[in-house]
Amino acid sequence: MTKPLLSIKNLTIDYIGETADFRAVDDVSFDVAHGEVFGLAGESGCGKSTIAFAISRLHKPPALIRNGQILLEGRDVLGLDPRELRSFRWREVAMVFQSAMNSLNPVLRVEAQFYDVLRTHQGMNRSQARERTAEMLRLVDIPPDRMRDYPHQFSGGMRQRIVIAICLALNPKIVVMDEPTTALDVVVQREILQRINELRKTFGFSVLFITHDLGLMVQFCDRIGIMLAGKLVEQNSAGNIYTKPQHDYTRKLWASFPSLHGARLMEVAAS
Amino acid sequence: MTKAGNAILSLDRVSKTFGRAPYMVKAAQSVSFDLHAGRTLALVGESGSGKTTCARLVMQEYTPSEGRLLFKGKPVEARDAKALAAYRRSVQMIFQDPFSSLNPAHTIAYHLRRPLQLHRRDLKRSQINDAVDELLQRVRLDPGIVASKRPHELSGGQRQRVNIARTLAVGAEVIVADEPTSMLDVSVRLGVLNLLNEMKRDMKLALLYITHDIATARYVAEDIIVMYAGQIVEWGNVNKVIDNPQHPYTRLLLSAVPDPDVRFDDPKAHLKTADVEEVRRLSAIPQESVVAIESDHFVRQIAA
């Protein structure tokens, strides 16, 4: 087996409370290979977003990593000093947040928001940054001449694509996406994920994809982990999660989705 | 889709516009549909397609720019206070966000007692408390535990059940549910949908179910309307529309629904941005002519 890109080992995260701690992530281990799309599914409160934040060490108190390791190409993320951490974020791990379309700065032109990232991390000047911005916008099907527009002049789906373009501007090794399309309608959702899938093949980055929509996850991911109350209860290829779910909870999760074709729900409910 | 006579509530060629030309937005264009007792009508479409405008028209929150709203066959006069009160009692709404649609300062019992006090003047105080317990039991909540709690102590699913109980408290005949499960966890969604289904069956409610999730629409509804850019583009029996979609927008919508049987890598599943734009452009053009595919399946023609 080749070395994984991202390796999470026995990760345990607590939220510190006044009287008792709440264990949000409980001894979770998984690997993400180069160029792979790994999905984390589960209900709200199961700890999937906590893991996403911990990977780029964006978790804030009262969250505390009690135990475990996060390794990116063998380097321990938890041991990075603040300066190393700053260059590690974006350049190696980029993150697309839930309702990311609202994470653009409303008072800056799109161009300026790209420039911000490109200057800090790659020391580009204005004209170099503009060139790179045009290139990135073209990748996500946005006409480059719109880089002088403000975020509110774009639709929700376009803003989401701009955020993804900024994330990819530094060629990160892995992109963490936490419910990236939850607020969008299905057609726009499909367009965006399809585009990410193509870009992934072109540039070879990995994706950690977090959502509660199992159907969507099976379409997009190579492997899927199912989380329940902080524990990773099942981990398998997308096809097996769909056709041969092993854990009871995975089966129940499937049963809670009405299918477009009507039939499957009844089968699962009956078994 | 007029099966005249037995409809509880109908919209008859209703349009709603906002602003003035040249900036006028046509949020609903000549929309007609009927709601029948014991039946669910699903209204699907993307954000901005006019779904919520339709809900607000039904709730009489907006007055139609054109067209009529008929309640039990008669138009509702805004000046007739009594008729309007009866209408407000009979037509109730369940909102998308269960976290902001209950008053955080009041107990659950209060939320159910108020509508009973206002609309059921015949009940005595002791009867009201019994009625509150009965309502909570009906939506599968334990009155002993829940009645004295405040909204923040309940989960999203429980709160949405309280909202359902609240609509039942006043004896609603029509319920407008605007994305009632989209903010709930997947594992409790089905419970709420089943409850709505049950209420509809047992109490002969007419339900307008607004959603962008076609799969759940099929699960709860008998009839479906697909809207785009303020127009109804296709409507009819839910199975016939989903299994045999005729309008290009309906087809686009269905092809984009997450389907675990189809991988993104599959070239057949690939949506081309140019095609999507073309479907959107064509579907947005106002069109008068309608074709009947079957007796209960209609589609609006698109511009050639």
Side-chain angles (χ1 to χ4, degrees):
Chain A
M1 205 179 142
T2 51
K3 255 187 120 178
L5 173 71
L6 175 75
S7 182
I8 291 188
K9 288 182 179 159
N10 309 98
L11 188 67
T12 301
I13 302 174
D14 282 348
Y15 283 94
I16 309 294
E18 231 166 87
T19 49
D21 297 349
F22 177 77
R23 184 141 291 185
V25 178
D26 193 354
D27 200 22
V28 168
S29 305
F30 62 87
D31 293 340
V32 182
H34 288 271
E36 183 183 45
V37 185
F38 186 84
L40 270 184
E43 291 177 65
S44 34
C46 73
K48 53 192 195 313
S49 297
T50 305
I51 294 182
F53 279 97
I55 288 172
S56 37
R57 271 178 60 190
L58 284 168
H59 65 287
K60 290 195 196 106
L64 177 72
I65 298 181
R66 286 276 187 205
N67 195 9
Q69 277 185 311
I70 300 169
L71 301 174
L72 193 88
E73 292 186 315
R75 199 150 64 112
D76 188 3
V77 176
L78 301 181
L80 298 176
D81 66 38
R83 210 172 50 87
E84 289 170 329
L85 190 62
R86 217 164 49 230
S87 88
F88 163 83
R89 290 177 182 157
W90 285 106
R91 205 197 284 267
E92 305 198 29
V93 177
M95 193 158 171
V96 180
F97 296 98
Q98 201 164 358
S99 67
M101 54 216 195
N102 301 326
S103 58
L104 290 168
N105 186 335
V107 298
L108 291 181
R109 297 178 198 278
V110 167
E111 179 191 43
Q113 313 203 24
F114 271 92
Y115 176 59
D116 210 19
V117 175
L118 292 169
R119 189 196 49 182
T120 315
H121 286 277
Q122 299 193 321
M124 285 191 183
N125 62 31
R126 288 259 178 205
S127 68
Q128 286 169 321
R130 213 166 284 147
E131 222 168 273
R132 179 78 178 142
T133 304
E135 189 186 331
M136 294 313 295
L137 288 179
R138 246 178 257 122
L139 280 181
V140 292
D141 296 318
I142 289 172
D145 52 344
R146 293 203 59 187
M147 71 169 83
R148 308 235 348 120
D149 286 353
Y150 287 96
H152 73 267
Q153 291 169 288
F154 294 90
S155 71
M158 286 171 109
R159 265 180 281 164
Q160 192 77 315
R161 279 182 285 173
I162 291 171
V163 171
I164 290 166
I166 295 178
C167 276
L168 299 181
L170 300 175
N171 289 321
K173 291 174 182 143
I174 181 164
V175 181
V176 178
M177 299 191 174
D178 186 3
E179 309 248 7
T181 53
T182 306
L184 304 170
D185 59 75
V186 286
V187 177
V188 179
Q189 166 173 291
R190 168 64 79 81
E191 284 179 293
I192 288 177
L193 292 180
Q194 230 172 241
R195 181 34 67 102
I196 293 171
N197 199 29
E198 287 162 10
L199 292 174
R200 163 179 81 98
K201 284 181 185 155
T202 317
F203 297 105
F205 57 85
S206 308
V207 179
L208 177 67
F209 183 63
I210 296 174
T211 181
H212 59 256
D213 190 336
L214 269 184
L216 183 67
M217 198 166 249
V218 168
Q219 284 189 295
F220 183 39
C221 296
D222 300 310
R223 283 188 311 128
I224 293 175
I226 307 282
M227 288 195 67
L228 170 65
K231 290 197 172 68
L232 195 64
V233 294
E234 184 170 356
Q235 197 183 150
N236 214 332
S237 70
N240 280 340
I241 289 280
Y242 177 45
T243 52
K244 295 193 252 330
Q246 298 297 315
H247 197 276
D248 210 30
Y249 179 70
T250 314
R251 279 196 284 268
K252 279 191 186 139
L253 214 51
W254 274 117
S256 57
F257 284 98
S259 152
L260 188 59
H261 310 295
R264 194 182 152 87
L265 186 74
M266 311 304 167
E267 280 170 34
V268 179
S271 65
Chain B
M1 66 179 330
T2 35
K3 266 182 261 164
N6 55 357
I8 293 192
L9 198 141
S10 356
L11 293 195
D12 182 20
R13 305 179 67 75
V14 170
S15 299
K16 178 70 191 173
T17 54
F18 295 101
R20 286 165 198 269
Y23 302 112
M24 193 160 72
V25 174
K26 292 179 177 167
Q29 300 183 47
S30 193
V31 169
S32 304
F33 59 78
D34 293 343
L35 296 173
H36 297 270
R39 282 180 87 82
T40 301
L41 174 68
L43 188 55
V44 301
E46 61 183 38
S47 31
S49 62
K51 305 185 300 264
T52 301
T53 300
C54 284
R56 293 193 164 161
L57 284 164
V58 169
M59 295 309 296
Q60 297 228 6
E61 206 175 311
Y62 292 157
T63 40
S65 309
E66 277 169 45
R68 296 184 307 162
L69 181 80
L70 300 173
F71 181 58
K72 294 179 175 166
K74 286 194 285 275
V76 183
E77 294 287 338
R79 278 164 300 174
D80 186 347
K82 235 180 176 170
L84 201 60
Y87 184 88
R88 296 241 182 266
R89 180 162 60 238
S90 306
V91 183
Q92 291 285 324
M93 186 150 180
I94 298 169
F95 296 92
Q96 175 173 16
D97 185 353
F99 300 91
S100 65
S101 54
L102 294 173
N103 187 335
H106 286 297
T107 62
I108 300 307
Y110 176 88
H111 282 93
L112 298 175
R113 212 181 296 128
R114 283 295 293 167
L116 288 170
Q117 282 167 346
L118 282 170
H119 289 288
R120 301 277 303 276
R121 301 266 170 133
D122 53 314
L123 292 180
K124 292 197 193 73
R125 184 170 295 213
S126 61
Q127 288 174 307
I128 285 185
N129 285 336
D130 290 345
V132 168
D133 286 359
E134 196 192 312
L135 283 166
L136 286 172
Q137 270 159 1
R138 178 156 269 164
V139 295
R140 309 268 153 66
L141 292 171
D142 184 345
I145 298 170
V146 171
S148 59
K149 286 195 171 174
R150 284 171 214 277
H152 73 270
E153 296 174 276
L154 302 185
S155 71
Q158 286 174 319
R159 277 184 246 195
Q160 212 57 313
R161 284 168 195 269
V162 172
N163 275 322
I164 294 172
R166 188 169 58 168
T167 66
L168 300 177
V170 292
E173 294 172 80
V174 177
I175 291 184
V176 178
D178 190 357
E179 307 253 17
T181 60
S182 68
M183 295 189 69
L184 302 180
D185 239 325
V186 282
S187 59
V188 297
R189 274 184 198 177
L190 221 52
V192 170
L193 292 178
N194 285 337
L195 182 66
L196 280 174
N197 257 343
E198 214 172 280
M199 299 292 137
K200 167 190 81 180
R201 222 178 25 241
D202 298 349
M203 310 180 70
K204 292 273 168 271
L205 297 173
L207 203 65
L208 179 64
Y209 176 69
I210 297 175
T211 184
H212 61 250
D213 182 352
I214 301 193
T216 62
R218 182 172 208 163
Y219 187 71
V220 298
E222 286 85 24
D223 304 303
I224 191 169
I225 286 178
V226 181
M227 272 190 98
Y228 184 74
Q231 277 193 116
I232 296 180
V233 296
E234 186 161 0
W235 67 96
N237 177 292
V238 69
N239 294 321
K240 288 179 182 167
V241 171
I242 291 177
D243 291 333
N244 184 22
Q246 295 295 317
H247 196 278
Y249 181 73
T250 316
R251 286 187 188 154
L252 173 66
L253 202 59
L254 284 167
S255 71
V257 172
D259 179 353
D261 288 316
V262 183
R263 296 267 307 166
F264 280 175
D265 302 327
D266 186 349
K268 273 181 295 186
H270 194 83
L271 282 184
K272 288 193 194 70
T273 309
D275 297 349
V276 171
E277 291 302 320
E278 183 65 5
V279 169
R280 287 217 167 101
R281 192 184 66 77
L282 286 173
S283 306
I285 301 169
Q287 264 294 334
E288 277 298 313
S289 63
V290 167
V291 179
I293 306 298
E294 281 181 68
S295 60
D296 54 355
H297 183 183
F298 301 85
V299 63
R300 190 175 298 276
Q301 284 203 307
I302 56 162

